[in-house]
Amino acid sequence: MQNMSKLSNLLCLAAVSIAVVSCGGSDKKSDSASSKATVEGQIAAAPSSEIILEKCGVGQSVILDVVTTDQEGNFEYEFDVMKGDPQLISVHNGADVFAMLLLEAGDDVSFQVDKDGNVAIDGSDESAKLNQLEKEYHDVLTLVADLVNSVDSTSSRKYQAQVQKQISEEYVKYHRQSVKYIMANMKSLTVIPVLYRSIGDAPLFARTSDAIMFSSVADSLLTVYPESELVMELRADADRMISGMELAEMVKNTEPIGYYDIELSGLDGKKKKLSDLDSKVILLYFWTASQPGQNIFNVDVLKPLYEKYHDKGFDIYQVSLDADKVMWATTVMGQELPWTNVCDTKGFASQYASLYNLQVLPSSFVISDGELIDGGAVDADSFETLLKKLLK
C-alpha cells in the first residue's frame, strides 16, 4: 500500500541493514517439515521496479529477497513456509510499504495494488484482514499528521490547545478501536502488529498493566500456533513485560533492607524467601542446572565451603534460572545440595534477574550482616578467604 505506515517501524526494526538471504535459506529448518506459499503480485505504482520481500518478527526482520517487477508491475514468488509457522511478509521498496501478507504453508495468494495504494487480496483472508487494519492505521496517522502540520509559529494558543485536544481524542478513539479488535480476534496473528503500534511517539500499549493483554494474546495464539516463531517471540516479550510489572509492584511494596529480597518455590513447592535466612553471611548464587561446569562447581566448591563454614554462620540461597524444572530438581536431589534451592522458570525474563542486573550465569552476590557487599570472590580460594574474613 503506497504511503502505508511502515510495519517495519514497529515490528521490523532492523530492516534494510540486515543481510539479504535467499528465501528458504537460513530460515529453513528442514526440507521435510516445510511447504510452499505462492504469491502473485501486481503493483501499479511500481512497474519495472525493485521490490523488497521482508520477513517481519517482533523486534527484528530478515530481507528474504529483492525481486524486479515487469512493465505492468507484476511479479511472482514462492516462499518456504514451515507448517504451523506462518510468516509475516512486508512487500515494500524501502520507502513505501505496498502490502502486508500473512502466509501459511500451502497458500496460493494473489494481490493487486492500484495507483492510489488500495490493496485487493485473494487467497488469504488473514492477509486481507491485515491490510484493512493497515489502511485504518494509515488513515489515523495521516489525520494526526495533518493536525500537527496545521500548527505553526503564527497559530494562537487557543488553536494549539484545540489541536492538541483533537489529537488526544483521536489517540483514545484508535486505542479503544484497537482493544476491541484484539479482544475479538485473540486467535488471529493479525493482532500482533496492532499490539506494537504507536501514534507519534505514543505507543498504544505501553502501560505496565498492558503486559496482561500481551500475555493473554500470546496464550490464545499458542493454542492455535504452538510452533509459530512469531507467537513464541510475542510470548517472550509478554514474559518480560509481566516480569517488569511484577518488579514494579515488588519494589513498591518491599520493606527497605540492604539487598533485594527474593521469594521463589523450592523442591517441596513451598515459597522460600531470601530474607528468611538469618545467617551472618549468605551467598546468593544464580545458576543453571543445564551447564555441566556449574554442576561441578556445586560439588567441588560450594559443598565443601558449606560443610566447613555453615556452623560458623554461612548459608547459601541458590536460584536456578531453568525452564526445565524437572531437570533442576533432579540435579539438586542427585547432588544432595543441603542449602536453600529455588527455581525461576522464567530464566532471564525473571524480575529477579532484572533486579540483580544479571548478564551471565553463574553470578554470585554476598550478603553480610544484612547488607549486599562487594566481596570480589571469583573462585574457591577467594570465596574461602572472604568467608574467613567475614566470619571472624
Side-chain angles (χ1 to χ4, degrees):
M1 180 179 295
Q2 207 171 10
N3 293 321
M4 179 192 296
S5 64
K6 291 187 180 179
L7 188 65
S8 57
N9 289 336
L10 306 170
L11 295 177
C12 309
L13 300 181
V16 180
S17 62
I18 296 179
V20 176
V21 298
S22 61
C23 183
S26 62
D27 284 333
K28 185 175 177 182
K29 298 177 183 176
S30 69
D31 290 334
S32 61
S34 65
S35 188
K36 304 292 182 181
T38 303
V39 173
E40 296 181 6
Q42 182 182 51
I43 305 171
S48 304
S49 302
E50 288 190 339
I51 302 299
I52 299 169
L53 305 177
E54 187 169 12
K55 176 184 174 183
C56 300
V58 175
Q60 62 180 356
S61 67
V62 176
I63 297 177
L64 299 176
D65 213 339
V66 178
V67 299
T68 303
T69 61
D70 64 18
Q71 294 180 347
E72 283 75 42
N74 297 305
F75 76 93
E76 294 184 16
Y77 201 83
E78 193 173 69
F79 295 85
D80 282 343
V81 180
M82 300 291 295
K83 294 179 180 178
D85 185 16
Q87 291 189 12
L88 178 58
I89 303 295
S90 172
V91 182
H92 64 93
N93 64 358
D96 299 316
V97 176
F98 298 110
M100 298 298 303
L101 303 172
L102 260 173
L103 302 178
E104 299 200 39
D107 277 353
D108 187 359
V109 180
S110 63
F111 72 90
Q112 296 80 38
V113 186
D114 65 23
K115 290 186 177 181
D116 294 323
N118 299 307
V119 184
I121 294 181
D122 184 50
S124 172
D125 291 341
E126 289 288 272
S127 295
K129 191 185 297 184
L130 179 60
N131 281 276
Q132 178 60 32
L133 288 169
E134 289 296 309
K135 182 180 184 305
E136 293 168 359
Y137 180 40
H138 172 259
D139 290 345
V140 172
L141 292 183
T142 300
L143 174 58
V144 170
D146 289 343
L147 287 169
V148 171
N149 292 333
S150 71
V151 178
D152 57 29
S153 58
T154 64
S155 301
S156 67
R157 290 187 178 181
K158 180 178 179 181
Y159 180 71
Q160 292 179 33
Q162 289 175 343
V163 169
Q164 183 60 53
K165 180 182 178 183
Q166 192 171 349
I167 290 174
S168 298
E169 289 173 349
E170 290 299 328
Y171 176 90
V172 171
K173 178 181 176 182
Y174 186 66
H175 179 271
R176 289 174 177 169
Q177 177 184 330
S178 298
V179 171
K180 183 178 179 180
Y181 180 82
I182 291 169
M183 293 297 100
N185 296 272
M186 294 284 280
K187 294 185 177 181
S188 169
L189 290 170
T190 60
V191 303
I192 295 181
V194 178
L195 288 169
Y196 290 91
R197 285 183 175 154
S198 61
I199 295 180
D201 295 328
L204 285 181
F205 303 104
R207 295 174 301 176
T208 302
S209 58
D210 288 332
I212 298 172
M213 177 179 291
F214 276 69
S215 185
S216 296
V217 171
D219 288 343
S220 294
L221 287 173
L222 280 170
T223 65
V224 184
Y225 302 102
E227 299 179 358
S228 168
E229 183 179 349
L230 264 176
V231 179
M232 286 187 280
E233 289 174 354
L234 176 63
R235 177 69 268 170
D237 219 16
D239 286 343
R240 284 191 290 271
M241 294 176 72
I242 289 289
S243 293
M245 182 174 69
E246 293 172 347
L247 176 60
E249 187 65 21
M250 183 175 64
V251 170
K252 184 177 72 173
N253 296 322
T254 296
E255 293 285 336
I257 55 177
Y259 55 89
Y260 296 114
D261 204 4
I262 298 176
E263 184 177 15
L264 291 166
S265 297
L267 289 172
D268 57 4
K270 296 179 180 178
K271 296 283 188 179
K272 302 182 185 300
K273 296 180 70 172
L274 172 59
S275 59
D276 285 342
L277 274 62
D278 59 1
S279 298
K280 180 177 176 58
V281 178
I282 300 168
L283 174 65
L284 170 59
Y285 189 75
F286 292 90
W287 71 303
T288 170
S290 64
Q291 296 298 321
Q294 294 178 40
N295 292 329
I296 293 172
F297 189 80
N298 285 340
V299 176
D300 291 353
V301 177
L302 294 185
K303 284 189 79 172
L305 286 175
Y306 183 85
E307 291 167 358
K308 185 174 182 178
Y309 292 99
H310 179 61
D311 290 341
K312 299 178 181 180
F314 173 59
D315 212 338
I316 300 174
Y317 189 92
Q318 190 168 29
V319 183
S320 163
L321 298 182
D322 285 297
D324 188 342
K325 206 165 187 177
V326 173
M327 176 190 65
W328 160 73
T330 301
T331 301
V332 171
M333 289 187 291
Q335 293 185 337
E336 298 181 342
L337 304 181
W339 50 80
T340 302
N341 272 278
V342 295
C343 183
D344 194 332
T345 57
K346 294 178 182 177
F348 274 97
S350 163
Q351 67 265 33
Y352 301 115
S354 297
L355 272 176
Y356 282 91
N357 193 28
L358 298 186
Q359 304 297 320
V360 296
L361 291 177
S363 287
S364 60
F365 302 85
V366 177
I367 300 168
S368 178
D369 291 325
E371 296 291 332
L372 196 64
I373 68 168
D374 181 8
V378 295
D379 55 23
D381 290 339
S382 57
F383 268 124
E384 185 156 19
T385 299
L386 180 62
L387 285 176
K388 287 179 180 179
K389 176 183 176 181
L390 296 175
L391 294 172
K392 286 182 179 179

